[in-house]
Amino acid sequence: MTLAPVLSVLLAFAALPARANDGTTVFSDPSRIASIGGSVTEIVYALGEEGHLVARDSTSYYPKAALKLPDVGYMRALSPEGVLSVNPSGILALHGSGPKEAVDVLKKSSVPFIEVPEHYSHDGILEKIRIVGRALGADAKAEKLAADMDAKLKAAEKQTASIKERKRILFVLSTQGGKILAAGSDTAGAGIIKLAGAINAVEGFSGYKQMSDEAIVTARPDVILAMKNAGRPISEDELFANPSIASTPAGAGRKVISMDGGYLLGFGPRTAEAIHDLAVALYGDQVTD
């Protein structure tokens, strides 16, 4: 990317008042907010504060009303000129937005930039709600939504509390090239597996990594978990044709669960429902209301 287009866009905003800094937690002008990250956008709508939004990223496809907003691109492949072209008064971005070079340019622009932390846990969801609410000057609404979410999450987690035999789950992100890319610790995949009362079959690494055939066999997953509507779909035939997968309990029983990616891994207002749906898919009538 050449710097000329970026600089021309930044100069267009030179008249805006104050440069954003890392300590910014509240937008001084929340009238035109670009929301980056599906769960961030969902939270804005759940707070009833969608009137502030002027744009969204391509992962923000729920609720459907969000699709009417201009799309500034995929959250991990942003261009500064694309985001700034909607003339935002503030940028509200989920941690992990990128690339780093683009985010650095946005942070140095005159448009306030607030980053929303991402922790794949019950408390992490509540933190996101409070930070988004604070940014938009809607603290009271955020506290109410956080309290409601806390109760729903506790109820969803309690539904699997009495289950003694926990399923071992292998979250598969991709099978391209015959290689299994799976979720280790500190991932959204691992987080949702835990909340649904199951065990991540992967041990020994964090993030998403390619697994060796030996590691897959050793993991002994009972079920494969995958995403829908998030990039190239995983073919069940291709998945179970993999010799290492075929030799596991999941492979022998052809046990795979596919759920919408944003719903399953969003860690936002719908996560309690996602926990319930995943738990039912795993445990059936063992799940208690």
Side-chain angles (χ1 to χ4, degrees):
M1 179 191 301
T2 60
L3 287 177
V6 177
L7 291 174
S8 66
V9 173
L10 294 182
L11 287 172
F13 293 93
L16 289 173
R19 171 164 291 194
N21 59 66
D22 291 339
T24 302
T25 59
V26 185
F27 292 121
S28 58
D29 176 9
S31 63
R32 295 180 59 82
I33 302 301
S35 178
I36 311 297
S39 62
V40 170
T41 303
E42 283 193 38
I43 290 169
V44 174
Y45 275 86
L47 290 170
E49 296 292 321
E50 64 272 16
H52 295 287
L53 298 182
V54 70
R56 51 134 189 140
D57 78 306
S58 61
T59 71
S60 299
Y61 53 83
Y62 184 90
K64 286 185 178 180
L67 297 175
K68 297 177 182 178
L69 294 167
D71 183 347
V72 296
Y74 176 49
M75 66 170 284
R76 301 190 194 281
L78 299 171
S79 71
E81 57 266 51
V83 176
L84 296 174
S85 69
V86 297
N87 190 20
S89 63
I91 300 166
L92 190 60
L94 187 63
H95 176 76
S97 298
K100 182 180 183 301
E101 295 78 10
V103 171
D104 287 345
V105 171
L106 290 171
K107 287 182 175 179
K108 290 175 183 176
S109 78
S110 52
V111 179
F113 186 104
I114 295 178
E115 186 173 76
V116 181
E118 177 80 292
H119 302 294
Y120 307 116
S121 65
H122 179 138
D123 289 340
I125 296 168
L126 307 185
E127 179 187 30
K128 275 203 280 192
I129 290 169
R130 291 184 174 113
I131 288 173
V132 171
R134 175 71 174 155
L136 299 176
D139 299 81
K141 286 184 177 181
E143 282 304 320
K144 183 180 184 307
L145 180 60
D148 290 345
M149 279 303 307
D150 185 37
K152 288 181 179 179
L153 288 166
K154 284 176 178 174
E157 293 167 64
K158 187 178 178 182
Q159 289 176 328
T160 58
S162 63
I163 295 173
K164 293 181 173 56
E165 292 187 15
R166 304 281 170 162
K167 301 280 189 182
R168 294 176 60 83
I169 313 302
L170 180 66
F171 183 94
V172 175
L173 188 65
S174 167
T175 59
Q176 283 186 299
K179 300 293 186 181
I180 301 297
L181 186 65
S185 60
D186 303 317
T187 62
I192 198 68
I193 288 168
K194 180 179 179 181
L195 289 174
I199 298 167
N200 186 8
V202 172
E203 296 177 348
F205 67 81
S206 61
Y208 294 92
K209 292 184 180 179
Q210 285 187 353
M211 293 185 71
S212 67
D213 292 345
E214 182 182 359
I216 292 170
V217 173
T218 302
R220 306 183 327 278
D222 299 302
V223 178
I224 305 297
L225 180 60
M227 294 188 296
K228 294 188 293 189
N229 307 323
R232 178 178 179 267
I234 290 176
S235 161
E236 289 190 25
D237 289 339
E238 182 181 348
L239 179 67
F240 293 121
N242 183 298
S244 56
I245 293 288
S247 68
T248 66
R254 292 182 69 89
K255 298 289 187 182
V256 61
I257 297 169
S258 294
M259 295 175 64
D260 178 81
Y263 179 60
L264 180 66
L265 303 183
F267 283 82
R270 295 183 292 160
T271 297
E273 289 83 359
I275 292 169
H276 171 78
D277 290 352
L278 178 55
V280 169
L282 291 171
Y283 299 114
D285 57 12
Q286 293 184 72
V287 174
T288 58
D289 291 327

